[in-house]
Amino acid sequence: AKDRGKNNFQFYHPQLNSLSLRKMELETALRKAIEQESFTIHYQPQVDLKTGMIVGVEALLRWVHPTHGFISPGEFIPLAEETGLIVPLGKWVLQEACRQNKQWRDAGLSDIPVSINISVRQMQEEDFIECVERVVQELGVIPSCVELEITESIIQNIDESLLILNQLKELGFKLSIDDFGTGYSSLSYLKHLPIDKIKIDKSFVDDIVEDSSGGAIVKTIIDMGTNLNFTVIAEGIETEDQQQFLIQNGCELGQGYLFSRPLPLQEVKELLRQGIVH
Ligand code: C2E
Ligand code: CA
Ligand code: CA
Ligand code: CA
């Protein structure tokens, strides 16, 4: 390691060393877990804020490592993006969530759409469109029942992204902008994107009742989204005060622990049967 130059310090720093060890170990484990398909998906309901009716579910990846236990997507998704492993992993989620959605529909359980997180790296793969098209055809899923959640970082590569988004839109998929307000999107870009929905990021929802400027930001996002004809959904709602503020300011939909945590398959099926959260 002598000729690593500047990295020498990092290399011998005991804390960083164990961090990067964990990272290498996780990368190996991640590869293996992808091969063995040892992930599961939890589903979090999206609800009508006024009635509690379930209008959609978001698919969220879960990974339980044999020795490290539960590993948060906040940790392994960035690693998967860095290493490119997000491509096969994302493909698996797409397939699995679509298969599930079709099953619920066939069983007469629910005809609500499923939202699937797509990382920019995955979307920019050459064969991404082909891949989603194939999944949908093979499984017999209706594209309009599949919502793809992408983040504002697609804006950094706007021309290429627009091409892909327009194709997805033509195929009938629903598109939403995740974590809205945290990225780079300027309003002028936003109105050119073929999207259906924006998801107000949890960090803004957190601030709603804390201070008046937090509330003002959320109100502005709702008004803007509504004026541009987007469906607006707020994420990370934990309190009734937040729910009330959102309703009063014209936000229709919400998602958060107040209504339901992301649930394992059996539990979400039960909830879908009822169609409503309490
Ligand atoms: P996200 O897409 O913004 O998903 C929302 C996150 O907020 C989820 O965390 C969810 O469990 C959490 N959440 C929902 N309601 C509340 C609430 O009321 N309070 C709090 N404190 N948290 C709430 P999770 O499942 O840990 O996922 C974290 C991130 O990992 C996701 O953020 C998404 O960016 C990424 N991710 C998860 N699954 C996938 C996937 O299949 N593909 C890709 N590319 N990314 C994924
Ligand atoms: Ca999301
Ligand atoms: Ca989000
Ligand atoms: Ca987020």
Side-chain angles (χ1 to χ4, degrees), residues 44 58 61-62 73 93 117 178-179 202 236-238 256-257 262:
Q44 187 178 37
E58 177 175 2
L61 255 177
R62 294 293 176 259
V93 175
N117 292 286
D178 204 356
D179 304 338
K202 177 178 190 304
I237 304 170
E238 293 180 346
Y257 292 173

Side-chain angles (χ1 to χ4, degrees), residues 5-260:
K6 275 192 241 154
N7 290 331
N8 269 351
F9 171 72
Q10 281 194 0
F11 196 69
Y12 289 111
H13 192 287
Q15 239 173 342
L16 283 178
N17 196 24
S18 68
L19 249 184
S20 65
L21 258 180
R22 175 174 164 99
K23 209 169 133 179
M24 285 195 303
E25 201 187 328
L26 279 187
E27 184 183 337
T28 310
L30 194 57
R31 270 180 214 285
K32 205 163 132 198
I34 291 172
E35 272 167 29
Q36 302 175 341
E37 306 195 356
S38 46
F39 294 89
T40 52
I41 299 178
H42 283 193
Y43 295 89
Q44 187 178 37
Q46 303 181 334
V47 306
D48 182 311
L49 283 173
K50 284 185 189 154
T51 63
M53 294 270 288
I54 301 173
V55 298
V57 287
E58 177 175 2
L60 293 159
L61 255 177
R62 294 293 176 259
W63 181 26
V64 180
H65 183 280
T67 52
H68 289 295
F70 174 81
I71 299 172
S72 148
E75 182 170 18
F76 73 80
I77 293 286
L79 184 63
E81 281 172 344
E82 215 177 287
T83 53
L85 288 171
I86 193 68
V87 176
L89 187 54
K91 214 175 263 184
W92 181 82
V93 175
L94 186 76
Q95 231 152 16
E96 188 59 21
C98 284
R99 201 177 58 75
Q100 211 48 255
N101 183 267
K102 168 91 162 89
Q103 242 177 44
W104 291 337
R105 185 170 306 266
D106 289 349
L109 196 64
S110 165
D111 57 2
I112 58 163
V114 63
S115 299
I116 303 169
N117 292 286
I118 303 290
S119 93
V120 177
R121 172 97 186 241
Q122 183 188 358
M123 204 185 80
Q124 285 168 346
E125 279 291 293
E126 240 172 76
D127 63 349
F128 178 67
I129 298 283
E130 248 174 81
C131 167
V132 285
E133 239 185 317
R134 194 168 343 107
V135 168
V136 161
Q137 266 166 16
E138 278 171 11
L139 296 174
V141 179
I142 310 164
S144 64
C145 292
V146 179
E147 181 172 281
L148 305 175
E149 295 194 2
I150 46 184
T151 59
E152 289 166 287
S153 48
I154 47 149
I155 304 251
Q156 287 166 319
N157 222 326
I158 187 71
D159 292 333
E160 193 190 336
S161 300
L162 256 182
L163 223 68
I164 301 170
L165 295 180
N166 282 326
Q167 275 175 285
L168 291 169
K169 198 68 228 167
E170 254 166 58
L171 288 167
F173 292 97
K174 294 264 187 294
L175 300 175
S176 75
I177 300 282
D178 204 356
D179 304 338
F180 186 82
T182 61
Y184 310 85
S185 60
S186 73
L187 296 184
S188 54
Y189 278 134
L190 196 60
K191 71 173 185 207
H192 294 300
L193 294 178
I195 56 167
D196 305 282
K197 195 174 184 182
I198 57 175
K199 303 190 77 175
I200 305 177
D201 191 66
K202 177 178 190 304
S203 58
F204 300 109
V205 175
D206 285 342
D207 288 346
I208 282 180
V209 243
E210 306 291 309
D211 56 279
S212 57
S213 65
I217 292 174
V218 169
K219 187 172 169 18
T220 305
I221 299 179
I222 297 169
D223 289 344
M224 180 217 63
T226 310
N227 287 332
L228 290 171
N229 277 324
F230 301 140
T231 302
V232 180
I233 180 166
E235 336 182 82
I237 304 170
E238 293 180 346
T239 69
E240 280 173 15
D241 284 348
Q242 293 168 338
Q243 178 189 14
Q244 285 317 315
F245 179 93
L246 289 160
I247 291 174
Q248 274 154 23
N249 286 284
C251 183
E252 255 182 278
L253 307 180
Q255 192 178 340
Y257 292 173
L258 178 64
F259 309 108
S260 169

